[in-house]
Amino acid sequence: MEQEEELFLPRFITTEENFAAGHRACIGCGEALAVRHVCKALGKNVIIVNATGCIEIYSSLLPYTSWRVPWIHTLFENVGAVVSGVESAYKARIQKGKIEDRGVKFVGFAGDGGTSDIGLQALSGAMERGHDFLYCCFDNEAYMNTGIQRSSSTPYGAWTTTAPVGKKSIVGQTTWKKNMPEIAVAHRIPYVATACPSYPFDLMDKVKRGMEIEGPAYLHIFSVCPTGWRCPPEITVEIGRLVVETGIFPLYEVINGEYHLSVDFPKLKSVREYLKKQGRFRHLTEKDIERIQARVEEEYEKLRERASQKTAKGASQNKCAKFMTMDR
Amino acid sequence: MTKGKIVGLEGSFAVAEAVRMANVDVISAYPITPQTHIVERLAEMIADGELDAEFICVESEHSAMSACVGASAAGARVFTCSASQGLELMHEVLYIPSSMRLPVVAVTANRALSAPLSVWCDHSDAMAIRDIGWIQIFAENNQQAFDLTVCAYRIAEDKEVLFPAMVHIDGFYLSHVIEGVMLPDEEEVAHFIPDYEHPFVLDPEDPVSMGCYGPPFIYPEAKKAQEVDFTNTKPKIQETWDEFGETFGRYYSPVEKYKMEDANIALLTMGSSGETAMLAVDEMREEGRDVGLIRLRLWRPFPFKEFRDAVKDVELLVVLDRAISFGMGGPVCSEVKSALYDKRKDLSIVGFIGGLGGRDIPIDGFKYMVNRALEKVKMIERGEEIETEMIGIRE
């Protein structure tokens, strides 16, 4: 990262809330915070397609709704397909002259279960077909809506109700977190990024970029869940920062196949700092933590390597660097 | 009389012609035998510029119906088609348009379900979706495949209906067999099904939330409203078919009768076997027997009144099921019995299961059913238990 480009500029964000207050999310919900930021960045001219999950449950209890933009929820695993249908309907009706082109954007929302597990097929299909949409995965690393059951996005070592810490099996989740952004990258779509609401400007910029780019865009948003992670609700933002600072969840963009680290650190913090704050990791032994540390470093190096391979296409990265300065 | 021309068409192509004339906006489908010719023909029409529509080549039937739901919610006229395992894979999604009141139109080329794998016709797939709130219509020949698909759009999109509609054509018997089909003038069809404007669409200028979460204090009322409205679609369906008849000269009704005027015995069929049954009735009539035929055109919502009227003078009703409800017998037979319970204690109803997995039911098969039913009536009178018999089985 080119430090000399760092500038402090006032940044204003809209006071308009398209995701209204009064929803029923848990105290300290990192996902609701992320949804709020995402909706600020999306603006009014969007249609949101939502999977079954926490967001849908806490935002749409009849007869109330938190949505000030058009919003549709149907099932758990079909966001990719429903958003394909909405986008195609607009495309066809504009093409036929039935409606005018008002530049409406199409966005899919789902959790990590609805994205990396049950909804993976529909999402893969939509990305492969090249629909013009932004997909936001709000990753809280387990099936929180149904009561903290493990998903393929649950990290190694985390306690969940279906990967419990027992007398015989003492580690919790025994598998490594599925790398969903890499799966999106493998579809060769124009835009893939990771974000976290602890870095709100970075998150909002990525939403805007994903929306503006023609074709499929995938945004993987780290969403702290105090209820499921067994941590106090007031440290949601802190946990979101630590996960980035430890290198466990790096913030990066892949623009037309080129990797850009949104923020990098000369020295990563120890994963211990992140793990020790959450009850879901309390059972981990020093050996487990060392194992996680080694894995994180290995993965982070691979990412750094990919990011260093890029050519001089630095414009968007420099922009990121500036915003990151503000975020931090 | 309508302008138009008679063309030799497979049932699949007849459906594709109807979809083309309906000028649909979005097609989303996944290929499965014996529905493939419908999607292939539609893709060809789009490639040749004969139809201006978006074709979403989805990766599964689940996504096919999901994309139709999204497109319909965004105001598009949509089409999908499937069969058998494909219909079962989209089963979960089928509930969505019927409860969110989206006029999705679909065609099913009826096919048996695994295992063992069978690509051939029966009605197991159609029966598996009977409780979902889709209007289900059974075609008997390729002309009907065309006519009823055209009508399905008009019915589904009627502001007093707004329910999804499915036209069932028997796999291979109709989907792959060429018959003469009268294709009406395109402008007349366009006039019959004008452009559709859904009352609530996903539009940033007028935001709505669709598919919200229904707690116990509201869910039952939502379901009651759905059931009342669904049942009330029956007059609209008849009205549409009447208007179609006046415009195009071919009339349909929920329960269609053949040689029923003085019949004491009635056969009941659904789908393509109705035409074979008609031949059987003709032969039996020549033999001096008072047999008639009832074909259920409309399966959902069930046409109770029309059905009771059709059998009011009959002493014996012989029902053919092309599906099994395991441990219960034939689903059609069970339902017609329940439709007549408390109304006709004097009517004997004997059910048969046949034509599973593409096994043909010849003319003699229907004659056998009538003769066997008469024997069974005697058995019932003697107080014997009778079971639903499967015909044409090698024991």
Side-chain angles (χ1 to χ4, degrees):
Chain A
M1 196 161 294
E2 299 169 58
Q3 294 299 314
E4 65 275 17
E5 296 239 358
E6 280 192 8
L7 288 169
F8 283 87
L9 296 167
R11 292 259 298 163
F12 299 108
I13 55 166
T14 176
T15 53
E16 194 175 81
E17 301 286 358
N18 293 319
F19 177 63
H23 56 75
R24 291 165 163 79
C26 303
I27 298 170
C29 176
E31 183 187 62
L33 182 63
V35 170
R36 185 181 166 204
H37 292 325
V38 170
C39 285
K40 277 176 180 286
L42 289 174
K44 286 263 184 224
N45 200 22
V46 293
I47 294 171
I48 295 173
V49 177
N50 209 141
T52 306
C54 286
I55 303 175
E56 167 257 337
I57 295 295
Y58 61 63
S59 69
S60 82
L61 189 88
L62 279 168
Y64 307 106
T65 179
S66 286
W67 304 97
R68 291 180 176 143
V69 290
W71 177 90
I72 182 170
H73 155 258
T74 65
L75 299 166
F76 192 4
E77 72 277 46
N78 66 350
V79 163
V82 178
V83 79
S84 301
V86 175
E87 185 248 15
S88 298
Y90 267 78
K91 208 170 155 190
R93 281 162 63 78
I94 290 165
Q95 165 82 15
K96 288 174 138 178
K98 289 185 178 176
I99 51 169
E100 56 179 304
D101 187 355
R102 286 176 275 120
V104 179
K105 301 291 182 188
F106 312 99
V107 184
F109 279 7
D112 48 299
T115 302
S116 59
D117 291 336
I118 199 166
L120 182 58
Q121 177 180 320
L123 172 60
S124 174
M127 292 195 291
E128 172 270 322
R129 293 188 298 269
H131 296 278
D132 190 9
F133 72 112
L134 168 68
Y135 188 98
C136 296
C137 169
F138 297 90
D139 181 5
N140 54 20
E141 303 198 317
Y143 293 96
M144 296 311 181
N145 185 40
T146 44
I148 327 171
Q149 293 88 17
R150 66 86 80 182
S151 77
S152 64
S153 202
T154 302
Y156 174 85
W159 162 90
T160 60
T161 54
T162 50
V165 179
K167 286 174 187 149
K168 184 160 176 272
S169 172
I170 53 163
V171 74
Q173 177 92 339
T174 53
T175 51
W176 296 101
K177 184 183 175 80
K178 187 188 274 188
N179 193 332
M180 194 53 219
E182 282 300 315
I183 293 172
V185 169
H187 285 76
R188 302 294 181 260
I189 58 173
Y191 189 78
V192 176
T194 62
C196 173
S198 298
Y199 299 80
F201 293 110
D202 178 65
L203 167 61
M204 285 186 271
D205 286 332
K206 283 171 175 168
V207 170
K208 283 177 188 162
R209 267 199 287 285
M211 212 168 45
E212 279 157 18
I213 281 175
E214 209 183 312
Y218 178 84
L219 187 55
H220 197 98
I221 305 168
F222 190 82
S223 306
V224 177
C225 175
T227 309
W229 297 5
R230 302 295 194 239
C231 65
E234 66 272 18
I235 64 164
T236 293
V237 174
E238 189 186 339
I239 297 264
R241 285 181 176 277
L242 278 171
V243 82
V244 178
E245 289 164 355
T246 52
I248 294 171
F249 187 85
L251 300 183
Y252 63 96
E253 287 176 303
V254 188
I255 304 169
N256 293 319
E258 282 189 15
Y259 285 74
H260 307 273
L261 273 172
S262 309
V263 57
D264 199 359
F265 305 93
K267 191 176 183 318
L268 295 173
K269 285 186 179 168
S270 158
V271 295
R272 191 173 282 98
E273 285 190 52
Y274 171 78
L275 301 173
K276 287 292 176 194
K277 288 196 182 291
Q278 302 168 55
R280 62 173 173 159
F281 296 117
R282 64 186 296 176
H283 56 281
L284 293 184
T285 61
E286 275 306 307
K287 211 177 148 195
D288 293 327
I289 293 172
E290 278 165 29
R291 224 173 145 195
I292 293 168
Q293 184 69 56
R295 171 90 175 194
V296 165
E297 282 171 17
E298 187 191 326
E299 289 293 315
Y300 198 86
E301 268 319 303
K302 276 188 212 161
L303 184 66
R304 251 188 197 148
E305 181 68 22
R306 287 195 200 105
S308 69
Q309 280 168 3
K310 70 179 187 303
T311 50
K313 274 190 191 170
S316 75
Q317 192 212 6
N318 290 342
K319 206 163 72 180
C320 282
K322 277 183 213 163
F323 301 156
M324 289 310 305
T325 314
M326 280 305 296
D327 273 346
R328 297 180 68 215
Chain B
M1 192 57 197
T2 179
K3 291 177 279 178
K5 54 180 191 261
I6 294 175
V7 187
L9 286 177
E10 291 189 343
S12 300
F13 283 24
V15 167
E17 285 298 330
V19 173
R20 183 177 66 81
M21 291 195 203
N23 190 19
V24 299
D25 301 313
V26 175
I27 297 163
S28 170
Y30 190 79
I32 181 168
T33 304
Q35 152 269 35
T36 39
H37 290 188
I38 306 175
V39 281
E40 287 169 4
R41 182 73 191 107
L42 287 168
E44 213 169 69
M45 285 170 169
I46 293 172
D48 287 338
E50 294 167 11
L51 170 60
D52 186 7
E54 283 292 311
F55 194 129
I56 314 178
C57 286
V58 281
E59 80 299 328
S60 73
E61 287 87 355
H62 195 283
S63 285
M65 186 51 66
S66 297
C68 281
V69 164
S72 184
R77 180 176 280 167
V78 302
F79 178 74
T80 191
C81 47
S82 193
S84 181
Q85 309 303 133
L87 198 63
E88 285 296 288
L89 185 56
M90 65 168 73
H91 192 105
E92 182 198 20
V93 199
L94 291 171
Y95 287 84
I96 303 298
S98 67
S99 43
M100 282 168 60
R101 310 296 296 270
L102 299 169
V104 174
V105 170
V107 167
T108 294
N110 301 320
R111 168 185 147 181
L113 290 165
S114 288
L117 189 145
S118 165
V119 296
W120 291 278
C121 174
D122 69 31
H123 293 172
S124 305
D125 51 3
M127 292 302 141
I129 63 156
R130 65 190 159 147
D131 301 329
I132 292 181
W134 276 66
I135 294 166
Q136 285 182 276
I137 300 159
F138 276 75
E140 195 166 301
N141 54 44
N142 293 355
Q143 184 67 57
Q144 292 185 9
F146 175 87
D147 293 349
L148 296 171
T149 306
V150 167
C151 290
Y153 280 99
R154 169 85 173 253
I155 293 165
E157 292 169 1
D158 190 297
K159 294 283 186 293
E160 287 172 40
V161 176
L162 292 178
F163 276 104
M166 188 172 288
V167 177
H168 292 271
I169 65 169
D170 281 350
F172 292 108
Y173 290 107
L174 299 190
S175 67
H176 286 58
V177 168
I178 297 172
E179 288 183 330
V181 175
M182 163 65 96
L183 287 184
D185 178 64
E186 285 182 34
E187 278 177 27
E188 272 184 307
V189 175
H191 184 73
F192 185 73
I193 33 175
D195 268 356
Y196 135 82
E197 291 295 333
H198 195 71
F200 305 101
V201 291
L202 293 170
D203 181 355
E205 287 191 358
D206 186 15
V208 288
S209 294
M210 294 189 187
C212 294
Y213 172 39
F217 77 85
I218 209 160
Y219 184 87
E221 282 75 14
K223 289 294 125 179
K224 171 85 192 276
Q226 188 181 348
E227 166 64 0
V228 168
D229 286 358
F230 190 66
T231 306
N232 287 343
T233 60
K234 281 188 267 187
K236 272 285 163 193
I237 295 168
Q238 183 65 71
E239 208 176 285
T240 305
W241 283 344
D242 289 346
E243 261 188 69
F244 183 89
E246 281 156 27
T247 315
F248 299 102
R250 289 179 298 279
Y251 291 84
Y252 299 103
S253 56
V255 178
E256 289 174 13
K257 294 178 279 188
Y258 181 72
K259 298 196 175 171
M260 283 295 293
E261 297 75 30
D262 57 344
N264 280 320
I265 302 169
L267 276 161
L268 186 143
T269 61
M270 284 164 74
S272 62
S273 54
E275 296 205 333
T276 321
M278 275 193 259
L279 295 173
V281 167
D282 289 347
E283 288 189 12
M284 286 186 275
R285 284 274 172 180
E286 274 172 33
E287 292 160 11
R289 306 179 68 181
D290 51 356
V291 181
L293 172 67
I294 292 167
R295 293 107 81 208
L296 277 185
R297 186 74 49 235
L298 182 66
W299 174 236
R300 282 293 185 276
F302 192 83
F304 288 97
K305 188 182 170 298
E306 294 85 345
F307 172 68
R308 285 171 194 150
D309 285 350
V311 296
K312 67 180 189 312
D313 299 322
V314 173
E315 287 166 9
L316 171 62
L317 180 64
V318 184
V319 180
L320 169 67
D321 260 290
R322 295 195 78 155
I324 310 178
S325 172
F326 290 101
M328 182 66 193
V332 179
C333 189
S334 303
E335 298 214 356
V336 301
K337 277 181 182 168
S338 88
L340 293 167
Y341 189 77
D342 280 348
K343 303 281 178 189
R344 285 290 305 278
K345 296 282 188 209
D346 58 323
L347 172 64
S348 301
I349 304 170
V350 179
F352 292 90
I353 292 169
L356 298 183
R359 181 73 60 86
D360 280 330
I361 309 170
I363 294 170
D364 284 349
F366 290 96
K367 289 184 177 174
Y368 169 84
M369 278 188 263
V370 170
N371 294 335
R372 187 78 181 119
L374 287 165
E375 287 173 29
K376 291 199 174 207
V377 171
K378 288 192 185 118
M379 290 161 72
I380 295 166
E381 283 166 2
R382 290 198 298 268
E384 291 174 35
E385 286 282 321
I386 63 158
E387 285 174 3
T388 307
E389 183 179 325
M390 289 180 70
I391 58 160
I393 302 290
R394 295 188 306 276
E395 303 276 357

